[in-house]
Amino acid sequence: MRTVDIRVPATSANLGPGFDALGLALSLYDEVEAGLTGERGVEVSVSGEGAGEVDRGERHLVVRAMREAFGRMGVAQPAGIRLRCRNRIPHARGLGSSSAAVCAGLLAARALAGVEWPDDEVFALATEMEGHPDNVAPCLAGGLTVAWSDHAGAPHMVKLAPDQRVRPVVLIPSARLATETARGLLPKDVPHKDASFNAGRAALLIAALTQRPETGLLLAATEDRLHQHYRAPAMPQSAALVERLRAVGVPAVVSGAGPTVLAFSTSDTQDLIAPEVGNDWHIQQMDVDPVGANVQFPETR
């Protein structure tokens, strides 16, 4: 049985003002060993996050992504699929666990099929399955990404390299929040002044993360008026923590749809984070993952 190993990073989307556009790849990974068998059926083993909770058959998200990829490539569906999943990305916490699973499945299928399938088509299908490109872009490409869709609905991205001094810290609660629930709290329209405010802050955030990751700039650049306060009732502890951190000068935002909080640690703020967090949160210092999803065949490692 030929197998392929896929490693996919956690991601944080929005980063405050960059709603549905900005994403950051983080040094926390799910690993998937995928193989095709001659025996009919699906065999899935899962360890780590989600073990005992996720489907172990055709409804497993990596399997679904592989099936979609085979169909899109015009390749016959294999008789059997075998997966070994080692999950480290928390589920339903705003760290891109579903995007990681989708990307892992698409890349595994492409590698095992052995056909030419362009990266932009992988990105397009990943976006289609996820519904938006802000997490799948950094998961596939790594680094800091700006993603958007054109008038025809096709997704695009630009990858940027954050300054090496950018140090993300994730503050993960035990509670979960479904992305659909968080999105359901957003209004259909927002005031023009709030949209203008966020446009300026998102532009400033790109400059701060790539050129001048100074505490003052990052604090101003991570301000948001489009989504976080609308979602606060669904995650009051996260909203309160963001407020506490920002009050003492720490650039902090809700990661993706939440409820994880993302903070940027600088020389001025690294000692200010822990005292504001409390015992209900898991604090994890991370690096920015520079390369995104990684594909290897065992014999080439």
Side-chain angles (χ1 to χ4, degrees):
M1 181 181 68
R2 191 185 192 203
T3 63
V4 64
D5 294 338
I6 312 290
R7 190 181 79 161
V8 282
T11 52
S12 181
N14 303 329
L15 310 181
F19 180 67
D20 275 5
L22 299 183
L24 194 66
L26 304 171
S27 59
L28 178 67
Y29 306 95
D30 281 356
E31 297 174 344
V32 176
E33 179 188 291
L36 306 181
T37 72
E39 301 177 1
R40 291 195 171 276
V42 171
E43 178 186 333
V44 179
S45 66
V46 180
S47 61
E49 296 287 339
E53 300 177 5
V54 297
D55 188 274
R56 302 293 182 95
E58 290 285 351
R59 298 304 299 166
H60 190 278
L61 188 51
V62 174
V63 176
R64 286 161 48 198
M66 291 180 71
R67 297 290 194 198
E68 289 286 343
F70 288 130
R72 197 62 59 94
M73 289 185 290
V75 174
Q77 292 291 339
I81 294 175
R82 182 179 299 168
L83 298 179
R84 289 188 176 91
C85 304
R86 294 175 288 277
N87 295 342
R88 300 181 183 89
I89 305 172
H91 290 190
R93 302 296 206 291
L95 288 171
S97 62
S98 63
S99 291
V102 167
C103 292
L106 300 185
L107 294 173
R110 180 173 71 173
L112 291 169
V115 301
E116 293 293 331
W117 191 32
D119 289 343
D120 59 349
E121 294 187 21
V122 175
F123 177 43
L125 181 53
T127 299
E128 181 182 321
M129 293 188 68
E130 271 292 278
H132 38 84
D134 50 355
N135 281 105
V136 295
C139 185
L140 290 170
L144 171 67
T145 56
V146 184
W148 73 99
S149 297
D150 62 26
H151 294 296
H156 304 271
M157 71 164 116
V158 170
K159 176 182 176 180
L160 302 171
D163 190 288
Q164 293 183 356
R165 292 169 290 176
V166 173
R167 299 302 305 277
V169 178
V170 294
L171 313 169
I172 307 171
S174 57
R176 301 184 179 191
L177 179 63
T179 300
E180 294 79 8
T181 300
R183 281 190 173 270
L185 296 173
L186 298 177
K188 293 183 178 179
D189 301 294
V190 297
H192 185 277
K193 63 179 181 179
D194 290 345
S196 175
F197 179 94
N198 267 54
R201 290 304 193 272
L204 179 61
L205 184 56
I206 294 295
L209 289 176
T210 59
Q211 301 176 35
R212 295 178 55 187
E214 304 159 11
T215 302
L217 277 183
L218 283 170
L219 192 61
T222 49
E223 290 182 297
D224 161 68
R225 292 183 181 176
L226 287 188
H227 64 103
Q228 291 184 139
H229 66 285
Y230 294 112
R231 291 168 161 173
M235 45 183 153
Q237 290 182 312
S238 300
L241 178 56
V242 168
E243 288 187 10
R244 291 199 305 273
L245 289 170
R246 297 187 67 85
V248 298
V250 178
V253 298
V254 173
S255 179
T260 291
V261 171
L262 173 74
F264 291 107
S265 175
T266 69
S267 58
D268 298 330
T269 64
Q270 59 188 6
D271 296 328
L272 301 175
I273 296 175
E276 301 298 330
V277 176
N279 297 327
D280 295 333
W281 300 78
H282 174 63
I283 305 176
Q284 196 163 349
Q285 174 82 59
M286 296 189 183
D287 294 318
V288 176
D289 174 87
V291 298
N294 179 267
V295 180
Q296 286 191 342
F297 290 100
E299 61 270 19
T300 65
R301 283 182 300 192

